[in-house]
Structure formats: structure tokens, C-alpha cells
């Protein structure tokens, strides 16, 4: 039941899978952009607060520099809103 990740996560240079399913984490520290081996980011959480039939999806806020995660193969939900720079960064990922 963690709610935030420490900035020191950047030290896990060879981390390939970060599974935060069901956690309370809603944003990533800037250090996550240094995890260039990260290929899967599992980060979805659903709740049934507003409707008993349709779950609310909770998205993650990601820091600037996310384009460095070039090994990324699978993303969970990412919050974009009107952050056009983030959209440009995500577009650079293959």
C-alpha cells in the first residue's frame, strides 16, 4: 500500500519490470527517467466509487524526460491532460 516512489529508484539501473498494480502511487519521481532498461510499467488501479458498474481508472503522472525510456514495451495508464510536451515525448518512443 505504498503511495509514492523514492527518488532513489533511479539506482535500479537494470530494472526491467515495475509492477505497481493496485498501489496508491499516482506520480513518478524524475529518477524514473534514468531506468533505461525498464520495458514494462504496470500501474493501473481501478475503483468503483462513482459507479458500481463502471470502474474509475487512475492514471499516473510522468515527469519530463520520459522519452529516455527507449526499452519501454508496455505502459499502463498515463495522464496527459493538456501537456503537449509530454505528448511529443511519448510520440518519440518506438
Amino acid at each position: 500500500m505504498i503511495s509514492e516512489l523514492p527518488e532513489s529508484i533511479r539506482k535500479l539501473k537494470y530494472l526491467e519490470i515495475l509492477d505497481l498494480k493496485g498501489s496508491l502511487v499516482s506520480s513518478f519521481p524524475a529518477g524514473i527517467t534514468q531506468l533505461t532498461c525498464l520495458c514494462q510499467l504496470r500501474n493501473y488501479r481501478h475503483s468503483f466509487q462513482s459507479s458500481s458498474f463502471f470502474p474509475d481508472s487512475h492514471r499516473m503522472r510522468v515527469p519530463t524526460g520520459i522519452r529516455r525510456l527507449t526499452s519501454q514495451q508496455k505502459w499502463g495508464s498515463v495522464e496527459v491532460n493538456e501537456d503537449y510536451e509530454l505528448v511529443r515525448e511519448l510520440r518519440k518512443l518506438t
Side-chain angles (χ1 to χ4, degrees), residues 15-55:
L15 183 69
E16 293 183 2
I17 298 173
L18 181 56
D19 190 342
L20 297 169
K21 290 183 295 197
S23 75
L24 300 175
V25 175
S26 62
S27 64
F28 292 112
I32 194 121
T33 62
Q34 296 179 25
L35 302 180
T36 56
C37 292
L38 191 64
C39 58
Q40 289 191 33
L41 183 54
R42 303 172 185 165
N43 62 327
Y44 53 84
R45 175 172 54 104
H46 302 290
S47 66
F48 290 89
Q49 293 176 355
S50 62
S51 169
S52 59
F53 298 107
F54 302 105

Side-chain angles (χ1 to χ4, degrees), residues 59-81:
R59 294 166 296 281
M60 302 287 262
R61 289 183 300 277
V62 294
T64 303
I66 208 73
R67 68 182 174 277
R68 293 185 202 124
L69 299 181
T70 55
S71 297
Q72 199 58 30
Q73 297 173 1
K74 183 177 182 179
W75 283 89
S77 299
V78 174
E79 184 175 301
V80 175
N81 291 329

